[in-house]
Amino acid sequence: MPMYKSPNVHGHGMNCGEHALQNGEVDPSLKALEERQDEVLRRLYELKATVDGFAKTVTTPDADLDASTPSPGPAESVFKGTADLDSLLGKDLGALRDIVINANPARPPLSLLVLHALLCQRYQVLSSVHVHSSVSAVPPPLLSCLGPRHIDSYARQRFQLGFTLIWKDVSELQMKFSTQSMCPIEGEANVARFLFRLLGAEPQDPAAATQMDCWIDKAVFQLSEGGSKDRAAVLRSLNAALGRSPWLLGQEFSLADIVCACFVLRAGQTTSAPVNVQRWLKSCQNLGHFDCVYPFLQ
Amino acid sequence: MYKDERYNNLKASGMLCLCVAGEEEQQAQSKKALKKQQKEAEKAAKKAEKQAKLAAEQQEADEDDFAKDRYGICPMVQSQQKLDRALVRVQDLTPEKAEQQIWVRARIHTSRAKGKQCFLVLRHQQFTVQALLAVGDRASKQMVKFAANLTKESIIDVEAVVKKVEQKIESCSQQDVELHVERIFVISQSEARLPLQLEDAVRPEGEGDEEGRATVNQDTRLDNRVIDLRTTTSQAIFRLQSGVCQLFRDTLINKGFVEIQTPKIISAASEGGANVFTVSYFKTSAYLAQSPQLYKQMCICADFDKVFCVGPVFRAEDSNTHRHLTEFVGLDIEMAFNYHYHEVIDSITDTMVQIFKGLRDRFQTEIQMVNKQYPSEPFKFLEPTLRLEYKEAVAMLKAAGVEMGDEEDLSTPNEKLLGRLVKDKYDTDFYVLDKYPLAVRPFYTMPDPNNPKYSNSYDMFMRGEEILSGAQRVHDAQLLTERAMHHGIDLEKIKAYIDSFRYGAPPHAGGGIGLERVTMLYLGLHNVRQTSMFPRDPKRLTP
């Protein structure tokens, strides 16, 4: 017989959950709670993995390209690299991967027309031009700026890539690809960078890549948006750089040349440009990729 | 108590013959009867007094009414005389007519008396103008009183001077002028109690709830359609719908199409047995046509090349949804092509784009008017029209998390989701989906030449909802027979149809849209009954 009576933990006041535990069963509400906790933890791990993946991509932009290829060879007019479309554009689900570009007819994106021509050399591209209802009419040259309609255009799935240009009343040029997983890319230069990546011709060397970005930014902020003083300054830097090498990055033609040449041409007054710049523009013209641009220059 | 009341009622209606009653009861009755008689006499006396007073007032009034020739209720217009009087429309009342004395016929939208003045708002279709009648040397007190007491919706003829106003009258469509009334006559009076108030009928839904004011529900509108159709919103909707029909016809005629009329009483169900109305036809029965499909095709086999028809379509589908009617107006196209059915898709989509452009450019007033009550995003489209393939749609849906088979038909929610995805990427409310799986299409659809699981068929969507289903048709009698057998269709019933392809038939394709649905989706409305003047659905046969 105990010396004192202790409260009976197995008594009436106990709730059925505790009672059940005594028997080895699990209270359903507790089980649900545990399951929820597991689910939340699992999602947290997934998110962490995704963010880690992004961090990796951001810090090493060329992480998925083979860094063991040799440095640039002799000047070539056609990009010979290859790009992994699946990793850049997402898995091929058996349907046309369509890149949509919304541009204002008042400011045709000349560098994108050049890039389109280059893409057509590399891939089977289905090109279409549409006029959005926000614009009432568009001059005919803008309707045929991507060239004649491909004879197989009735069978969309035969193409690797779609290039859909929509003339629309937008303040800023905009590119859309996979609206579920990608936010729109804005600005001609940024879209140009994206399209250039599809050609697999990005400079491997980080210094060269940075220099390329630098020239592109100069074109956008000073040539296009800057005043006449800024424009003059850019033309002088271009002249200086082109005195040392045939192309802006050295021996190899790159996106920097495409974007800067287009912006210089669009600004006009190319006959009064410095000597090296004029020579360089002539070289660009000789490559043949700029033919699509000339109808839009004043 | 109850028994007495019933007794009194029966007695009063003269139906009771008093047979037997206890003496007490009889006494009670006579007391009651006496009381009643007294009351009635009093009442009659009072009434007589009142009438005498009124008559006296009336006489007095008549004596003082110098304006009694300038107002009144006209005798019913039975074409008694041919007046050579020009009536100006309310929409033409502009500052250019200032100081002119003109006649206007319009409805009374509102009338409000304020002391010695009466403010009227006169309305004709979508246009309203303010009119003022004030006691003065032209109008007497009685005239102003008469005007203030006119019932809403009555049709009146008014002679007035057009006056410019300094401050814009925001509440009317004619904001820069008002009418100073000289004469006012009623042409057709309206009953005082209206089944619905027009200002309630145009009130946007949200606003009604917020301010505690009434809006009118759809059934009430449809039951009193004649009045509901008078609202500015309804006028705008149906004028725009008329525009759709007009643009459809004009565009196709310009493309060299011929308009045809097809029979609606037919011997066999064209689309499939279940959803067809039967009519008694002398000693047998016949059916109301579910679509002009078979006859359009026969016209192509008869060398008309490009045809279209506008006419009623009857579907006995017991669907009570926002987009189904049992009778609607079908706008149908059928066209022979040279080598590829995309020639026909291009023609159809171009026609739709021309309709959208025509509405955008010429019916903005109507679109804005509808948007006041039913706000919506303006309708966007691309030219040329966007054409996606079924496989792309499936890929887009899968990327958005939908699980579906490659050859499965699109469910309505998937169609809506697809519409949103397409809108997101291409910013268009109208597109074509091409190359549907063969298994989900009717027996007369031409299979794809390279992949037997797919077909040369297409659907077109507006704001994520299907508006057209079309395809290249099988124009070979043998293949058609095989396909019909594959679908388990009784060949006897479609013998005449198959026969039309036996004597040389060109390759052809086509499709059809519903006028009401297209109008509804273009304006961003949510129920097809709003765009059908006198809608028919499983629950409604009248008006």
Side-chain angles (χ1 to χ4, degrees):
Chain A
M1 185 97 179
M3 275 172 63
Y4 51 89
K5 202 157 171 137
S6 58
N8 187 353
V9 294
H10 300 285
H12 299 297
M14 194 170 61
N15 65 27
C16 63
E18 288 174 326
H19 195 267
L21 275 172
Q22 300 299 323
N23 300 347
E25 291 165 358
V26 182
D27 174 22
S29 59
L30 184 61
K31 191 167 177 205
L33 194 61
E34 279 178 355
E35 276 172 2
R36 265 171 54 208
Q37 185 188 33
D38 285 340
E39 175 67 24
V40 169
L41 282 172
R42 188 184 63 76
R43 276 161 63 191
L44 275 173
Y45 285 136
E46 267 179 18
L47 275 169
K48 182 173 185 298
T50 313
V51 171
D52 282 342
F54 278 140
K56 186 170 166 237
T57 323
V58 163
T59 53
T60 54
D62 296 323
D64 50 354
L65 290 181
D66 186 1
S68 66
T69 50
S71 26
E76 294 190 281
S77 52
V78 177
F79 299 111
K80 291 231 157 73
T82 49
D84 181 3
L85 281 184
D86 276 357
S87 67
L88 287 165
L89 297 176
K91 202 164 80 90
D92 181 356
L93 289 170
L96 179 71
R97 288 183 286 208
D98 199 6
I99 296 173
V100 176
I101 295 177
N102 296 316
N104 195 311
R107 288 186 305 278
L110 305 178
S111 63
L112 302 188
L113 299 181
V114 174
L115 285 163
H116 168 259
L118 289 167
L119 281 169
C120 287
Q121 287 180 350
R122 176 62 42 82
Y123 303 105
Q124 290 266 41
V125 180
L126 176 63
S127 325
S128 350
V129 180
H130 297 266
V131 177
H132 191 263
S133 52
S134 57
V135 172
S136 49
V138 146
L142 286 181
L143 295 174
S144 48
C145 62
L146 295 184
R149 221 169 144 180
H150 199 288
I151 41 164
D152 280 343
S153 63
Y154 60 87
R156 285 169 71 91
Q157 43 172 318
R158 292 189 192 172
F159 295 84
Q160 294 168 284
L161 211 56
F163 192 103
T164 300
L165 178 58
I166 300 179
W167 295 115
K168 188 174 166 184
D169 188 9
V170 277
S171 52
E172 184 82 61
L173 184 136
Q174 185 191 55
M175 187 204 104
K176 288 191 181 181
F177 178 65
S178 168
T179 46
Q180 296 290 296
S181 53
M182 249 179 79
C183 64
I185 298 183
E186 293 199 352
E188 186 180 336
N190 293 327
V191 177
R193 287 175 170 116
F194 178 86
L195 294 177
F196 192 65
R197 224 168 282 148
L198 298 179
L199 290 167
E202 275 186 307
Q204 313 287 21
D205 172 31
T210 314
Q211 212 180 357
M212 185 177 88
D213 272 334
C214 208
W215 280 118
I216 294 174
D217 284 345
K218 267 208 180 71
V220 171
F221 296 117
Q222 291 178 283
L223 256 181
S224 179
E225 294 172 21
S228 51
K229 270 198 187 157
D230 289 316
R231 277 204 294 276
V234 175
L235 286 171
R236 279 197 297 276
S237 340
L238 283 171
N239 199 45
L242 292 166
R244 295 192 289 272
S245 56
W247 306 108
L248 286 173
L249 289 193
Q251 298 303 315
E252 203 172 77
F253 179 70
S254 73
L255 183 64
D257 300 290
I258 297 175
V259 174
C260 290
C262 283
F263 277 62
V264 168
L265 287 169
R266 184 158 53 202
Q269 300 166 325
T270 48
T271 44
S272 57
V275 165
N276 294 332
V277 172
Q278 289 205 38
R279 178 188 43 87
W280 166 71
L281 287 176
K282 198 83 182 89
S283 310
C284 288
Q285 194 179 355
N286 290 341
L287 286 177
H289 312 306
F290 285 72
D291 289 345
C292 50
V293 159
Y294 288 95
F296 303 105
L297 304 174
Q298 276 114 352
Chain B
M1 203 53 205
Y2 166 71
K3 207 163 125 193
D4 280 347
E5 248 183 41
R6 219 171 42 161
Y7 162 82
N8 280 332
N9 287 339
L10 283 171
K11 187 163 183 237
S13 66
M15 279 172 70
L16 178 63
C17 174
L18 185 58
C19 301
V20 178
E23 205 189 87
E24 252 185 13
E25 230 177 77
Q26 262 187 339
Q27 272 190 349
Q29 307 305 16
S30 50
K31 251 202 204 163
K32 265 209 172 89
L34 199 62
K35 251 195 181 169
K36 195 161 181 258
Q37 270 178 350
Q38 269 183 333
K39 260 197 177 160
E40 281 179 3
E42 271 174 26
K43 232 176 152 181
K46 260 197 189 159
K47 200 167 173 191
E49 205 187 294
K50 203 171 172 191
Q51 274 180 342
K53 197 170 164 203
L54 270 176
E57 275 183 0
Q58 189 63 33
Q59 219 185 8
E60 204 188 277
D62 275 343
E63 281 164 8
D64 291 336
D65 191 0
F66 58 90
K68 69 171 179 282
D69 290 332
R70 289 204 278 277
Y71 69 95
I73 299 181
C74 278
M76 179 179 73
V77 174
Q78 226 175 337
S79 307
Q80 298 90 331
Q81 48 173 322
K82 192 156 183 274
L83 269 183
D84 200 8
R85 181 191 288 165
L87 296 177
V88 178
R89 291 180 311 170
V90 171
Q91 76 191 98
D92 295 333
L93 294 173
T94 56
E96 278 129 29
K97 290 197 157 52
E99 301 310 315
Q100 287 181 27
Q101 191 161 358
I102 44 94
W103 279 91
V104 173
R105 176 170 293 179
R107 284 190 191 273
I108 298 201
H109 189 64
T110 56
S111 82
R112 191 175 37 112
K114 210 170 166 193
K116 290 199 170 164
Q117 292 178 320
C118 175
F119 287 94
L120 298 164
V121 174
L122 305 181
R123 184 189 87 240
H124 181 240
Q125 296 175 344
Q126 314 97 297
F127 306 98
T128 46
V129 71
Q130 184 163 278
L132 174 60
L133 183 60
V135 177
D137 56 348
R138 304 293 292 160
S140 62
K141 240 189 349 193
Q142 296 89 333
M143 183 175 170
V144 175
K145 189 167 169 204
F146 170 79
N149 286 335
L150 289 174
T151 49
K152 281 195 199 175
E153 294 304 297
S154 297
I155 301 182
I156 57 170
D157 274 358
V158 158
E159 186 185 32
V161 177
V162 182
K163 293 279 185 192
K164 269 205 263 204
V165 286
E166 263 125 44
Q167 249 190 333
K168 273 190 187 277
I169 302 171
E170 299 284 322
S171 54
C172 291
S173 71
Q174 313 308 101
Q175 299 186 332
D176 303 313
V177 295
E178 71 175 1
L179 297 176
H180 288 201
V181 177
E182 309 250 319
R183 287 199 268 182
I184 179 165
F185 293 100
V186 176
I187 299 296
S188 174
Q189 211 169 19
S190 165
E191 280 182 30
R193 277 205 54 169
L194 294 171
L196 60 96
Q197 297 298 322
L198 265 77
E199 63 252 23
D200 291 340
V202 276
R203 189 164 292 128
E205 280 291 323
E207 212 183 277
D209 292 332
E210 274 166 28
E211 300 175 28
R213 280 188 258 174
T215 51
V216 186
N217 79 29
Q218 189 165 264
D219 274 326
T220 315
R221 283 177 199 280
L222 294 177
D223 288 335
N224 302 286
R225 200 49 160 162
V226 167
I227 303 186
D228 184 48
L229 287 174
R230 292 182 197 170
T231 58
T232 49
T233 313
S234 296
Q235 293 279 319
I237 291 176
F238 292 103
R239 276 166 214 291
L240 189 129
Q241 189 171 81
S242 166
V244 173
C245 217
Q246 171 95 6
L247 288 160
F248 181 80
R249 276 211 166 88
D250 286 349
T251 311
L252 289 173
I253 300 268
N254 284 337
K255 286 185 195 286
F257 280 70
V258 173
E259 183 170 3
I260 59 169
Q261 307 296 338
T262 62
K264 308 301 169 208
I265 311 178
I266 57 178
S267 62
S270 43
E271 299 281 326
N275 304 329
V276 67
F277 287 113
T278 314
V279 290
S280 64
Y281 198 77
F282 304 108
K283 294 212 170 84
T284 82
S285 5
Y287 305 99
L288 291 181
Q290 293 159 302
S291 80
Q293 180 71 24
L294 274 41
Y295 295 97
K296 283 194 295 180
Q297 290 187 256
M298 288 196 209
C299 278
I300 300 296
C301 296
D303 281 354
F304 282 95
D305 269 5
K306 302 180 188 183
V307 298
F308 72 93
C309 57
V310 178
V313 170
F314 303 96
R315 300 261 168 101
E317 223 176 284
D318 197 0
S319 297
N320 293 296
T321 71
H322 70 280
R323 61 189 205 168
H324 283 99
L325 294 172
T326 48
E327 178 187 347
F328 60 91
V329 178
L331 306 175
D332 278 87
I333 301 176
E334 200 72 26
M335 187 177 136
F337 60 83
N338 299 333
Y339 294 103
H340 200 286
Y341 72 98
H342 281 186
E343 297 165 36
V344 180
I345 294 190
D346 288 344
S347 214
I348 299 180
T349 53
D350 186 56
T351 305
M352 295 307 298
V353 166
Q354 296 310 317
I355 293 177
F356 300 146
K357 278 184 170 177
L359 294 176
R360 177 193 69 186
D361 297 339
R362 287 161 27 193
F363 287 84
Q364 269 308 315
T365 324
E366 281 76 8
I367 297 173
Q368 295 312 318
M369 210 164 275
V370 176
N371 279 342
K372 258 205 249 172
Q373 183 172 0
Y374 301 107
S376 76
E377 290 287 313
F379 190 81
K380 300 193 191 162
F381 54 94
L382 297 177
E383 185 182 9
T385 304
L386 178 67
R387 180 171 48 83
L388 302 177
E389 285 183 1
Y390 197 80
K391 286 188 176 160
E392 283 177 81
V394 174
M396 280 170 97
L397 285 170
K398 282 184 173 166
V402 170
E403 282 179 23
M404 63 176 286
D406 285 335
E407 288 158 54
E408 214 181 290
D409 201 3
L410 291 176
S411 63
T412 312
N414 282 345
E415 282 179 357
K416 289 233 169 84
L417 175 58
L418 184 61
R420 279 201 295 278
L421 296 172
V422 169
K423 180 81 193 276
D424 245 350
K425 186 163 178 182
Y426 298 92
D427 200 22
T428 174
D429 288 310
F430 176 65
Y431 70 98
V432 183
L433 201 56
D434 190 21
K435 295 283 182 196
Y436 266 69
L438 184 61
V440 303
R441 304 304 265 191
F443 74 97
Y444 50 75
T445 310
M446 181 66 87
D448 180 278
N450 302 317
N451 185 342
K453 294 217 156 106
Y454 289 89
S455 62
N456 292 354
S457 67
Y458 43 88
D459 271 7
M460 299 192 190
F461 297 87
M462 278 174 71
R463 295 197 202 250
E465 292 194 34
E466 183 212 307
I467 55 146
L468 179 146
S469 219
Q472 175 180 358
R473 324 293 188 190
V474 174
H475 61 282
D476 176 88
Q478 191 181 343
L479 179 58
L480 192 56
T481 311
E482 279 168 31
R483 298 296 309 155
M485 278 169 28
H486 184 268
H487 277 255
I489 294 181
D490 184 355
L491 291 176
E492 267 311 297
K493 290 224 167 115
I494 53 169
K495 185 173 180 310
Y497 176 56
I498 297 185
D499 281 350
S500 35
F501 302 106
R502 288 171 56 199
Y503 309 105
H508 59 285
I513 57 175
L515 178 63
E516 293 88 347
R517 202 184 273 195
V518 167
T519 311
M520 167 184 85
L521 292 169
Y522 185 83
L523 290 170
L525 298 172
H526 298 290
N527 196 306
V528 74
R529 289 158 189 76
Q530 293 171 288
T531 49
S532 174
M533 250 190 202
F534 302 103
R536 290 284 172 271
D537 64 37
K539 300 207 163 84
R540 180 171 289 276
L541 258 181
T542 171

